[in-house]
Amino acid sequence: MDPVSPQVSRDVLEQDEYDEEDLFVEDAVLENDFTFRAVAVGLLVGVLLCMTNIYFGLQTGWVSMMSLQSALIGFAIFKLLPSLFPHFTPQENVILQTTAVATGTMPLAAGLVGIVPALEMMTVREDGREPIILSYGSLVLWCLAVAFFGVFLAAPLRRQVIVKEKLVFPSGTATAQLIALLHKIPPPAQSTHASSTTAAYRRIPRSSRSASPPRDRSASESPERGLRAGEEREKSIDDMGGSGWWMLGWSFAASAGLTILSFLFPILFALPIFDIFGLPFGTSLAASWVWYFTPSLSYVGQGIIMGFPVTLSMNAGMLVGWAVLSPLAKHLNWAPGPVGSSTTGVRGWILWVALAIMIAESIISLIPITLSYATTLLRHHRQRSAGPKVFQPSNSPRASNVTEDDYFDPQPDDADEDPEHEPPERLVPLSWVSWGLGASGVLGVVLVWYVFGQDGIHPWATAVGLVLASVLSIIGVRALGETDLNPVSGIGKISQLLFAVLQPGNVVANIIAGGVAEVSLYVAGDLMQDLKTGHLLHASPRSQFYGQMIGSLASVFVSTAGYKFYTSVYTIPGPQFAVPSAGVWLNLARLLNHGHLPSHVVPFMLLFGTIFGIISGIKAFKTRLPASVQSSPIVRYLPSGIAFAIGFLNAPSFSLARLVGGYIAYRTALSSGRGTTPLWAIVLASGFVLGEGVISIVTLALTSAGYGAVSCFGCGLGGGGYCSGACA
């Protein structure tokens, strides 16, 4: 069936009442969302994002799901080749970006920028054993062990947190809004009349139903509001239709060109601007204290995407960590080693303070989510235990809780609950979830035991890690849906604490166990954002599930090849790739098993952990505070603990470049008049990030072929980072 023009969908949404003919027209657009072209282009985009995430992940530990960029690039590909790819629908774009995200986020999901390099950083002196360096085949098996469990976890959680509770999932909602802008359809909104709309849909006989029920018309309740929204939407579409694509191309080219120039002249990415203050005294601040500036457009783009408040918190942490605590620890001989050392230097000393901040904020922020979930479960239990219920025959075609597709769809206990609006043929059956969780769990236990053997984690411990991930994923996904922050780092550290008791004295087991729990939660969380996008744009959840599985499987081999390529060319950790996440994993595992904390770091851990625990508690329970307190500047501008800690973990050069981007986002939001970053700024940032990430593959190939810097001019002044790596 040929897709219907998006204008038909808009006409349906603008009517006062729905009729069955309109339902069929609306659904005609939705029947063919899982297409070969959507998956193929999604894999292509995902491979680029995968290599980009390996590059940035090894540098700073920052990995993005890139859902906005995936939808944008995918749409651009189809727009540039309209004769080959006609009638590209919004639902196909959802499948495309779902596949791309599953492919692109595997570097973090499989621990390739965290636990895998942490295992390679072990030493005989510190850990009593040689480092574990996995071959390509073993690394593929490890990725296969952890790639799919989170995918099957996401499917059953969708109905609870997206359909019933309607959690926001900000990134998923933003991606849906961008896709709506690109395809010139009305922007999706959270349903406010879902029950009436769904009831009308369910009255249609099952044999006559098409793919999906109608969308909510909340956007058209006010003609004036709808007109204003339409004017803003058309302006954004006009920008994207012309100058927007040029902006994406030029920003990509500018970032790529600067990356190539920095490869040829490393001083460009290691400007020793702070050495000016040290020259009269014959010292080099940049060389001694890791203070230099990296004018990387990709990190400027990251700052635009992160926003001004986050980058401001990050730079506040950078100042406290690298300008206050580092000199203090060095001067008092608490960290006598080289400044950049993650073991005996100040980088390793302040890492513990950052870890205390991250754990404190993660645990405190989970408390209200846990209490809310526990209260909801208790209330439902009491309702069901209150007494026998009188059976009422259902008017719905679903006469049983188990459909012919074996999809479990319990009827709502309360009248205000929103039942599932998708028909069973578009959902992931319960039998698939049950068998998938069982098979992927067994596969994970067997492969982890095969890869690491008796010296690694016991099979029963891996199984416990998977069960723990299943339980914690409920809390983590809810936190992600409400705050857009996936507390994977805190939950991973909680797992490490638990396994220090279950399998003591084994650093390898501790790292792997924490990684297994974190990986499953990370995958489930990111894929839940995609399911939110699909829910708002009415893409088939089953088609998204197919895309997730295909993308995850492909990325197992792509991510492994990319990681092995980088580690064969560069020294990791090294001047260019510090791998800060690996240091966090390894140091905590050492501490919990047989290690000890650096000199005098405990008071600072307690101090900063307490401060950010209190800040996190204020944020978590802000709605219970008096209105005057909620609106006070002190509360509104409280820093993010995670961002503050990242300022400790990353070298100052990266934080400074992100601050530039954050300020750009702030200024453009003010000039837009709407208080949000405009679409053109997001397009600009996407080009910046992708430009350096993609061209890094070229510089990697050149380095492996024996090519290097053309000139090391300026590096002698003390420029670190790129200078240290290319001109050592």
Side-chain angles (χ1 to χ4, degrees):
M1 182 180 297
D2 293 332
V4 179
S5 169
Q7 182 63 42
V8 175
S9 301
R10 185 180 304 174
D11 293 339
V12 173
L13 291 172
E14 290 174 352
Q15 292 179 7
D16 291 333
E17 300 293 340
Y18 293 108
D19 54 35
E20 293 188 20
E21 289 76 16
D22 294 332
L23 294 179
F24 299 145
V25 171
E26 172 71 6
D27 293 337
V29 183
L30 308 175
E31 289 182 347
N32 193 30
D33 52 5
F34 186 76
T35 60
F36 174 80
R37 64 183 188 177
V39 174
V41 176
L43 287 173
L44 175 64
V45 174
V47 168
L48 296 178
L49 299 182
C50 179
M51 298 301 293
T52 299
N53 277 333
I54 292 176
Y55 173 77
F56 291 122
L58 292 175
Q59 273 192 343
T60 66
W62 184 83
V63 172
S64 172
M65 54 180 300
M66 297 276 194
S67 54
L68 286 169
Q69 287 80 2
S70 300
L72 186 64
I73 297 171
F75 184 83
I77 292 174
F78 281 88
K79 187 177 181 66
L80 292 173
L81 302 172
S83 59
L84 295 178
F85 303 119
H87 307 300
F88 180 51
T89 66
Q91 290 72 36
E92 284 183 291
N93 204 338
V94 172
I95 305 304
L96 184 154
Q97 70 90 25
T98 299
T99 305
V101 167
T103 308
T105 54
M106 185 60 69
L108 181 58
L112 299 180
V113 298
I115 64 173
V116 172
L119 295 173
E120 297 179 357
M121 291 164 57
M122 294 190 303
T123 63
V124 175
R125 185 174 66 87
E126 293 283 343
D127 309 297
R129 62 166 301 151
E130 297 287 341
I132 298 178
I133 301 177
L134 301 178
S135 65
Y136 177 82
S138 296
L139 200 54
V140 166
L141 293 179
W142 158 253
C143 292
L144 285 173
V146 298
F148 304 111
F149 192 78
V151 178
F152 288 102
L153 274 180
L157 292 175
R158 170 191 167 275
R159 186 175 190 273
Q160 178 63 35
V161 299
I162 293 179
V163 178
K164 284 188 175 181
E165 299 182 34
K166 299 183 179 64
L167 297 186
V168 179
F169 289 97
S171 293
T173 300
T175 304
Q177 292 169 343
L178 175 64
I179 292 175
L181 286 173
L182 295 174
H183 291 267
K184 301 185 180 181
I185 62 174
Q190 292 283 356
S191 175
T192 57
H193 299 289
S195 57
S196 61
T197 302
T198 306
Y201 173 67
R202 290 190 180 278
R203 285 195 293 269
I204 302 174
R206 177 177 295 276
S207 59
S208 301
R209 291 185 195 173
S210 188
S212 173
R215 299 179 191 149
D216 176 64
R217 287 189 304 112
S218 57
S220 62
E221 291 174 352
S222 168
E224 294 180 358
R225 186 196 314 168
L227 179 61
R228 289 196 302 268
E231 290 173 349
E232 292 179 358
R233 181 171 67 250
E234 293 302 328
K235 180 181 179 182
S236 297
I237 291 170
D238 290 341
D239 291 340
M240 290 302 302
S243 60
W245 297 117
W246 280 105
M247 183 176 294
L248 179 64
W250 281 111
S251 61
F252 181 96
S255 182
L258 184 57
T259 304
I260 290 291
L261 286 175
S262 68
F263 174 78
L264 301 176
F265 305 95
I267 189 61
L268 292 178
F269 264 15
L271 297 178
I273 59 175
F274 301 101
D275 287 332
I276 298 173
F277 303 103
L279 288 177
F281 305 99
T283 61
S284 177
L285 294 178
S288 301
W289 296 99
V290 203
W291 279 88
Y292 50 90
F293 181 59
T294 299
S296 164
L297 292 178
S298 67
Y299 286 99
V300 172
Q302 290 179 19
I304 295 174
I305 295 171
M306 291 175 176
F308 191 52
V310 173
T311 58
L312 204 58
S313 297
M314 194 177 297
N315 277 265
M318 178 264 293
L319 288 173
V320 172
W322 289 98
V324 178
L325 296 183
S326 292
L328 180 67
K330 185 72 172 179
H331 177 71
L332 297 177
N333 205 35
W334 297 341
V339 171
S341 173
S342 60
T343 53
T344 61
V346 294
R347 180 189 286 272
W349 195 90
I350 64 174
L351 180 149
W352 290 103
V353 182
L355 184 60
I357 295 172
M358 294 169 67
I359 292 178
E361 175 161 292
S362 298
I363 292 177
I364 297 300
S365 63
L366 287 175
I367 291 177
I369 303 293
T370 306
L371 291 177
S372 174
Y373 186 73
T375 302
T376 301
L377 290 179
L378 182 61
R379 184 177 71 251
H380 287 178
H381 175 72
R382 288 176 176 175
Q383 290 174 348
R384 293 185 176 92
S385 304
K389 296 181 180 180
V390 179
F391 172 77
Q392 295 290 343
S394 174
N395 294 325
S396 169
R398 296 183 184 218
S400 171
N401 283 1
V402 181
T403 70
E404 63 269 25
D405 284 332
D406 195 26
Y407 174 77
F408 181 69
D409 184 19
Q411 299 299 318
D413 295 325
D414 304 315
D416 60 345
E417 282 194 90
D418 185 21
E420 176 63 72
H421 67 269
E422 294 283 2
E425 59 269 17
R426 286 167 54 89
L427 295 168
V428 181
L430 178 64
S431 59
W432 293 15
V433 174
S434 302
W435 281 101
L437 286 173
S440 60
V442 171
L443 180 68
V445 171
V446 171
L447 290 181
V448 169
W449 178 81
Y450 178 80
V451 170
F452 295 101
Q454 296 293 337
D455 294 335
I457 186 171
H458 295 312
W460 63 264
T462 304
V464 171
L466 292 173
V467 173
L468 182 66
S470 303
V471 175
L472 294 178
S473 65
I474 300 173
I475 300 173
V477 165
R478 287 179 60 86
L480 182 66
E482 295 182 5
T483 67
D484 210 34
L485 294 175
N486 197 342
V488 289
S489 59
I491 287 177
K493 306 305 174 286
I494 293 172
S495 301
Q496 284 188 275
L497 293 172
L498 174 63
F499 277 89
V501 177
L502 295 179
Q503 199 170 345
N506 192 327
V507 174
V508 177
N510 191 273
I511 293 174
I512 296 171
V516 167
E518 184 183 77
V519 164
S520 301
L521 177 57
Y522 183 85
V523 172
D526 268 5
L527 299 187
M528 198 63 65
Q529 297 273 24
D530 295 332
L531 290 173
K532 178 66 176 185
T533 302
H535 177 75
L536 292 174
L537 295 175
H538 293 274
S540 165
R542 187 179 296 192
S543 296
Q544 288 188 270
F545 174 78
Y546 293 151
Q548 292 164 357
M549 293 293 289
I550 293 172
S552 298
L553 179 61
S555 191
V556 165
F557 302 96
V558 174
S559 300
T560 300
Y563 177 77
K564 297 302 288 186
F565 200 3
Y566 271 97
T567 54
S568 66
V569 174
Y570 295 102
T571 300
I572 295 177
Q576 291 170 280
F577 299 98
V579 203
S581 298
V584 173
W585 279 104
L586 181 57
N587 284 359
L588 181 57
R590 285 171 172 170
L591 174 66
L592 294 175
N593 287 277
H594 53 67
H596 61 276
L597 290 169
S599 176
H600 293 84
V601 77
V602 173
F604 292 92
M605 292 177 65
L606 293 176
L607 174 63
F608 282 90
T610 301
I611 291 174
F612 280 93
I614 294 173
I615 290 175
S616 180
I618 294 174
K619 289 182 177 181
F621 297 97
K622 184 172 65 175
T623 55
R624 301 185 181 183
L625 298 176
S628 59
V629 177
Q630 293 184 38
S631 59
S632 66
I634 296 178
V635 173
R636 283 190 289 122
Y637 293 107
L638 288 174
S640 162
I642 298 296
F644 192 88
I646 291 176
F648 282 57
L649 299 178
N650 291 167
S653 59
F654 300 122
S655 298
L656 290 170
R658 286 168 172 162
L659 181 63
V660 174
Y663 184 72
I664 292 174
Y666 169 73
R667 295 300 303 177
T668 56
L670 285 181
S671 62
S672 70
R674 296 193 295 272
T676 58
T677 306
L679 181 60
W680 68 262
I682 298 297
V683 172
L684 182 74
S686 301
F688 284 162
V689 173
L690 293 170
E692 182 172 335
V694 172
I695 296 302
S696 67
I697 305 173
V698 177
T699 59
L700 176 64
L702 291 174
T703 303
S704 65
Y707 296 97
V710 172
S711 172
C712 290
F713 173 79
C715 287
L717 289 176
Y722 287 79
C723 275
S724 300
C727 300

